[in-house]
């Protein structure tokens, strides 16, 4: 399988902020999780929050909750055993961010995410794939929230983030929450997904996975 450029480790440097602390974004504290997943292998990652933690934050008026990160290896073209995220039994969660990871090498020409709905079994039994826009790269959101780089920002800049390994993406639908309680209805919905990564050699590497739990608005 072709390799692609690995991402910078999950530090604020990815957002061009130097040593500036990561700010709270949409009621979330990513300071320990980071803005990207550092894995340098083929795989998928999900950042999620426990619904119970969100409820406690709402009751105590805490401004944020801290996501937990799970990553699973996925071998493109390997046996069709779909990894499930998060790992383990987490029935009451809201998934706030998704990412794909891959080995170092040439930067891919495109990275796309597809949603196939609630999985009845194997990937071949699922409904038609619907492409989901990777519209909210976390590093770019942090960069704009802090004002860093505004003088040199161009709209097309956001198109490059999805081609970096490990970049987290917030759900593309609806307004972003302003407090932790908003994630009870704004996370990535549960179901079967697939990242497709197009290489410079014309190949396409598929990374299918199933997202468990998850509170969120159905994707269009």
């Amino acid at each position: 399988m072709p390799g692609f450029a690995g991402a910078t480790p999950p530090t604020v440097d990815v957002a061009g902020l130097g040593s500036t602390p990561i700010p709270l974004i949409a009621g979330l504290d990513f300071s320990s999780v980071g803005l990207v997943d550092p894995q340098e292998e083929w795989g998928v990652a999900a950042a999620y929050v426990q619904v119970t933690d969100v409820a406690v934050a709402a009751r105590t008026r805490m401004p944020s909750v801290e996501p937990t990160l799970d990553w699973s290896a996925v071998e493109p073209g390997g046996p069709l055993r779909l990894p499930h995220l998060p790992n383990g039994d987490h029935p009451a969660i809201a998934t706030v961010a998704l990412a794909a990871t891959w080995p170092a090498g040439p930067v891919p020409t495109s990275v796309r995410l597809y949603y196939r709905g609630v999985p009845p079994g194997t990937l071949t039994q699922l409904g038609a794939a619907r492409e989901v826009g990777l519209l909210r790269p976390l590093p770019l959101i942090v960069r704009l929230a802090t004002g860093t780089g505004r003088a040199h920002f161009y709209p097309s800049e956001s198109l490059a983030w999805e081609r970096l390994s490990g970049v987290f993406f917030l759900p593309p639908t609806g307004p972003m929450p302003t407090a932790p309680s908003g994630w009870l209805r704004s996370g990535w919905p549960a179901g079967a997904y697939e990242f497709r990564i197009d290489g410079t050699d014309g190949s396409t590497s598929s990374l299918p996975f199933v997202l468990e739990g998850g509170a969120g608005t159905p994707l269009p």
Side-chain angles (χ1 to χ4, degrees), residues 3-31:
F4 301 121
T8 304
T11 66
V12 190
D13 290 335
V14 176
L17 301 176
S19 58
T20 304
I22 298 177
L24 301 182
I25 296 294
L28 301 171
D29 180 0
F30 279 93
S31 57

Side-chain angles (χ1 to χ4, degrees), residues 10-204:
T11 66
V12 190
D13 290 335
V14 176
L17 301 176
S19 58
T20 304
I22 298 177
L24 301 182
I25 296 294
L28 301 171
D29 180 0
F30 279 93
S31 57
S32 61
V33 173
L35 304 179
V36 303
D37 188 287
Q39 295 286 343
E40 296 183 353
E41 301 177 26
W42 292 103
V44 291
Y48 65 94
V49 294
Q50 300 280 358
V51 169
T52 52
D53 292 341
V54 173
V56 170
R59 187 171 64 251
T60 59
R61 298 185 179 181
M62 294 175 59
S64 66
V65 290
E66 186 174 310
T68 299
L69 174 62
D70 272 345
W71 177 87
S72 288
V74 184
E75 181 62 33
L80 193 57
R81 292 191 294 269
L82 299 183
H84 287 234
L85 292 171
N87 299 312
D89 183 18
H90 301 288
I93 63 165
T95 299
V96 299
L98 295 175
T101 64
W102 51 82
V107 175
T109 58
S110 69
V111 177
R112 296 161 291 158
L113 177 64
Y114 290 85
Y115 178 64
R116 291 177 175 268
V118 178
T122 65
L123 191 64
T124 56
Q125 296 174 312
L126 297 173
R130 291 174 287 166
E131 187 170 1
V132 181
L134 297 174
L135 305 178
R136 291 174 174 168
L138 188 56
L140 180 61
I141 291 173
V142 170
R143 180 174 180 177
L144 296 179
T146 59
T148 303
R150 282 184 182 273
H152 304 288
F153 173 74
Y154 298 94
S156 61
E157 181 179 354
S158 63
L159 300 179
W161 290 103
E162 77 274 10
R163 298 194 294 132
L164 299 178
S165 174
V167 168
F168 282 116
F169 289 87
L170 302 181
T173 56
M176 287 197 300
T178 57
S181 59
W183 288 105
L184 297 179
R185 58 184 179 277
S186 298
W188 287 95
Y193 292 81
E194 178 186 356
F195 277 106
R196 296 179 188 173
I197 303 170
D198 299 321
T200 56
D201 60 356
S203 65
T204 297

